[in-house]
Amino acid sequence: QLSTAQPSPERVPSPEEQEWAGPEALCPGWLEDEAPDGEVPGDSGDPECATHAYERLQSALCQEGLPPTLDCSAEPCTGFGPLDVTVCILGSPTAFLPVLLEGGTRCPGAMVLCLSPTWVSRVPSETSPGAWSLLLSRGVSFKVGGHSALETFAPPRRANYVTGTFAPGDPEGGWVGELARDLDCPTGGSVPLAHRLEDALVTRWVLAARANLPVPPTLAFVLGARGDLPAEPAAPGVRLVRLEDPQGQQSLVQEE
């Protein structure tokens, strides 16, 4: 698993080595300040997001000794229908790189990495009223041997499984969470779920109280009601102390 915390110091292949035509090839209309369907926050159309993410992808591929991504976007790919497998990965190119590489080996062309909200659009679902379908007009697909290609899809390719970097604080977290909201296909997570899973107190409470699994002895001080932490059932190993006001409660904290 590659870390997304720090960019790699490794040399990024030159544009000539990447066969990359520049930001316009990555992000059509990148000078325009438009959102796909009004569902994505206004600042998500950052024209540099795709460029930076693409460079990170090339650096990660280089570290693994894999060939750089080929730019095949000049000739749109056609013929994709609703029954074709399209697994869409939104956001960070490094967090899911092992999955993309393995998926490209097992099902060549089915794994498609989306690096920018301008590469996809949300349209009302034809099969699930009130839900949305995610259509990919551009993406990086993965094939056998770690080969990857930047491709355009005409007509847009419909995603039938979506996942991505939903982690709070991730640079891509905002637009990824919006694009993956209320879809008519299965998704591999959500921003609210990521918030819950990253909350150590909630996680330990659920494991101890709901699943009867042992957790490390935990003493937690919380401010306010914290409605997501019910008083019952009790969680073995977890001691919860509610503080209405942190001021003047040093004695209570010391006692606990």
Side-chain angles (χ1 to χ4, degrees):
Q1 181 71 30
L2 297 176
S3 171
T4 61
Q6 295 291 337
S8 169
E10 294 288 335
R11 182 184 66 84
V12 178
S14 67
E16 290 76 18
E17 292 172 325
Q18 298 176 15
E19 298 186 23
W20 171 35
E24 293 86 349
L26 292 174
C27 192
W30 70 291
L31 294 176
E32 302 172 4
D33 187 18
E34 294 184 357
D37 66 339
E39 294 291 319
V40 181
D43 60 353
S44 64
D46 177 9
E48 297 183 351
C49 69
T51 304
H52 291 164
Y54 190 86
E55 291 173 349
R56 288 163 57 198
L57 173 62
Q58 302 315 302
S59 178
L61 293 173
C62 181
Q63 289 185 56
E64 296 295 321
L66 299 173
T69 302
L70 296 178
D71 182 6
C72 303
S73 59
E75 299 181 5
C77 300
T78 61
F80 290 102
L83 299 181
D84 289 294
V85 176
T86 301
V87 179
C88 176
I89 307 292
L90 299 170
S92 172
T94 53
F96 285 87
L97 185 58
V99 176
L100 291 164
L101 295 175
E102 181 66 16
T105 299
R106 294 181 177 271
C107 193
M111 307 292 293
V112 182
L113 174 64
C114 173
L115 299 176
S116 169
T118 61
W119 292 15
V120 294
S121 59
R122 283 161 54 94
V123 298
S125 173
E126 297 179 355
T127 58
S128 302
W132 299 81
S133 295
L134 198 65
L135 303 180
L136 287 82
S137 59
R138 179 166 297 235
V140 178
S141 63
F142 286 76
K143 301 174 176 61
V144 177
H147 291 273
S148 58
L150 175 65
E151 298 176 330
T152 55
F153 308 110
R157 186 172 173 176
R158 181 178 178 272
N160 44 37
Y161 184 85
V162 175
T163 190
T165 48
F166 300 104
D170 191 280
E172 293 93 0
W175 65 265
V176 170
E178 282 298 313
L179 286 176
R181 180 172 51 84
D182 300 328
L183 297 182
D184 59 358
C185 66
T187 58
S190 67
V191 172
L193 178 60
H195 275 285
R196 281 188 168 271
L197 293 178
E198 290 200 353
D199 189 322
L201 181 56
V202 172
T203 302
R204 293 184 184 187
W205 189 277
V206 172
L207 290 176
R210 302 289 185 181
N212 296 319
L213 295 176
V215 299
T218 303
L219 173 62
F221 298 92
V222 298
L223 291 174
R226 278 299 296 262
D228 56 341
L229 293 171
E232 297 293 338
V238 178
R239 170 69 172 162
L240 185 64
V241 181
R242 300 180 185 273
L243 302 177
E244 297 301 328
D245 185 347
Q247 301 299 326
Q249 300 198 46
Q250 290 87 347
S251 59
L252 174 61
V253 172
Q254 192 73 15
E255 177 183 348
E256 293 291 343

